[in-house]
Amino acid sequence: MSSPGRPVPAAFAWAEPLFTYGVTGTNGKTSTCALIRACLRADGRHVLTVGTTGAFIDEQQVPKGKTFADFAALIERGKDAGCRDVVVETTSYGLKIGYARKWRFDLGVFTNLSPDHLKTHGTWEDYLAAKAQLFLHLGPGQPMVLNAADQYAGFIDQATPKDVRRLWFRVPSRGPAVVTPDLEAASVTVDCGGTTIALAPSALADALGGTLAVKMVGEVFAENALAAAAACLSAGVPPQAVVRGLAECPGVPGRFEVLARDPTVVVDYAHTPDALQRTCDTARAVATGAVIVVFGAGGGATPQKRGPMGEAVARGADRMVITADNPRREDPTAIANTIAQGARTVDGGAQVEIIVERRAAIEHAIAHATAGDVVVIAGMGHERTQRIGDTDVPFSDRDEVLRITGGG
């Protein structure tokens, strides 16, 4: 299969020397981008990173903007600061409106896919097709890194021109491999200090020394680390820089971010059934007591996922407090009731409470936790506002946890 306009030319003459990594998928984009940046920085490179949590020249945050012109100006600023590597979190919306045809991506990473953003895309098929745009326009011989345990990776593989170089990664918890992985976890060990990955034998695993470690807590971060490692190795980053970069990468704000101990209180961005399931699994792995999850679902987007979100948490937690997320123009009580209906379909599932006011829900969950419990505040992660109606109201899960627990 061939796509017109391959390879996509540099958008500007000044952009010709740049190498751009694009990372797409439903979950794990931000963490994978952070890990790629850390590996490149460990190799002594200046790096521009653009994503959900902001834009950064090396570790310094810079204004991001919203339009393609803003995007191009940002990258030119990074180039002028010495950046030759650009790491971009490519959203389904950005791909849908043609960013992969406007800007040359030299490497693509696919993390995973699960239902989300269906208001934007209309259908599941359109959402998947938008993600595939990143790979359709890669040039001959350029690398693509795919999740070998995600069933939708096969669609992207089939849709992408055969002259694009494939590398596959896998963590067993996602499921069986759809193809033989090039880089695979044999086992993953998680504790509150981070995540250790024992690699299955392969050429890439041998180059990396057989073991990887990250400071991030959770098996999902093992998956992100393998994606980042495969991407960097395929782009010629020395293996020792990859190992060191992964080990030194700080946690990403709002991604299983541990803010208090005894009880352990965590803020996490999980807001899909798959992400919530994996967050619950991580909490269970580090808890000696109960797992308590505070979460809701956003209004005005993908109502189909609300019941399954409740089911996922009901299976993975001991207690859940359903609350408002970003309700927008919907009734947050109605959203919470739909989530609760899904949760109550699980026999022997988590105890269900509904406290719609988010601040009160967080206070309640922490007040009723004891040493050994893990309390997860899920859904908003790094966000600093809550969308109620058409108004953005200042609100931060992180700030609320620190206020309640006396941290900071």
Side-chain angles (χ1 to χ4, degrees):
M1 181 174 180
S2 181
S3 299
R6 296 179 59 240
V8 173
F12 308 94
W14 56 259
E16 187 62 49
L18 303 181
F19 189 95
T20 304
Y21 298 73
V23 179
T24 198
T26 304
N27 300 308
K29 298 185 296 295
T30 303
S31 299
T32 302
C33 286
L35 290 161
I36 291 172
R37 175 178 67 184
C39 295
L40 296 170
R41 293 289 289 141
D43 193 39
R45 308 186 192 192
H46 295 294
V47 184
L48 173 65
T49 311
V50 187
T52 302
T53 58
F56 298 84
I57 295 175
D58 295 337
E59 288 74 44
Q60 179 186 0
Q61 189 163 9
V62 293
K64 185 168 71 166
K66 296 183 178 180
T67 66
F68 183 77
D70 294 332
F71 176 77
L74 169 63
I75 296 183
E76 186 172 18
R77 177 176 175 177
K79 188 268 298 181
D80 291 343
C83 301
R84 294 296 177 268
D85 292 279
V86 181
V87 183
V88 181
E89 184 177 334
T90 52
T91 65
S92 58
Y93 177 73
L95 292 168
K96 179 181 174 69
I97 63 175
Y99 268 50
R101 296 189 300 274
K102 295 178 182 178
W103 188 264
R104 187 189 68 207
F105 287 90
D106 302 290
L107 184 153
V109 178
F110 171 73
T111 60
N112 53 68
L113 206 71
S114 60
D116 203 8
H117 304 301
L118 297 187
K119 182 181 180 183
T120 299
H121 295 280
T123 67
W124 168 248
E125 290 77 14
D126 186 72
Y127 178 53
L128 177 56
K131 295 292 189 186
Q133 291 299 308
L134 175 62
F135 307 94
L136 300 183
H137 300 284
L138 292 173
Q142 294 303 119
M144 62 189 293
V145 177
L146 301 171
N147 191 333
D150 188 289
Q151 60 180 317
Y152 300 105
F155 169 85
I156 292 173
D157 177 34
Q158 293 172 14
T160 301
K162 298 304 180 187
D163 56 12
V164 174
R165 192 157 46 101
R166 274 83 164 154
L167 285 95
W168 298 83
F169 67 93
R170 174 179 175 258
V171 170
S173 62
R174 174 109 14 215
V178 296
V179 299
T180 301
D182 299 283
L183 189 61
E184 182 175 21
S187 64
V188 178
T189 305
V190 178
D191 59 35
C192 279
T195 303
T196 303
I197 309 149
L199 300 174
S202 71
L204 294 186
D206 291 346
L208 294 168
T211 304
L212 296 172
V214 294
K215 294 179 180 178
M216 302 169 181
V217 180
E219 191 151 339
V220 67
F221 299 115
E223 195 172 56
N224 301 156
L226 294 189
C232 289
L233 291 175
S234 70
V237 180
Q240 61 270 27
V242 173
V243 173
R244 187 169 69 255
L246 295 178
E248 294 175 352
C249 183
V252 177
R255 273 59 176 181
F256 211 87
E257 184 178 7
V258 179
L259 297 175
R261 306 280 183 146
D262 291 328
T264 299
V265 185
V266 173
V267 169
D268 193 75
Y269 194 48
H271 57 273
T272 66
D274 175 69
L276 284 165
Q277 174 197 321
R278 292 176 182 278
T279 294
C280 288
D281 290 345
T282 299
R284 183 68 67 193
V286 300
T288 57
V291 172
I292 305 161
V293 181
V294 179
F295 75 111
T302 321
Q304 302 94 321
K305 72 179 182 180
R306 294 171 188 170
M309 288 170 69
E311 293 177 36
V313 177
R315 291 192 184 96
D318 299 295
R319 305 202 300 273
M320 67 168 72
V321 182
I322 304 171
T323 189
D325 189 290
N326 291 300
R328 300 181 177 87
R329 293 186 176 186
E330 287 195 60
D331 176 5
T333 300
I335 296 174
N337 286 335
T338 302
I339 296 170
Q341 288 173 8
R344 289 174 177 136
T345 64
V346 178
D347 290 338
Q351 173 189 324
V352 178
E353 295 179 87
I354 297 176
I355 301 175
V356 172
E357 205 277 319
R358 193 171 181 92
R359 179 173 286 109
I362 295 170
E363 290 174 344
H364 175 82
I366 294 173
H368 288 81
T370 59
D373 293 350
V374 175
V375 181
V376 179
I377 316 300
M380 294 178 64
H382 63 281
E383 293 176 354
R384 305 291 303 176
T385 60
Q386 186 177 25
R387 186 77 167 179
I388 300 174
D390 294 321
T391 303
D392 288 327
V393 179
F395 192 90
S396 161
D397 285 350
R398 190 177 189 279
D399 288 351
E400 290 301 314
V401 170
L402 294 176
R403 175 184 65 82
I404 295 164
T405 61

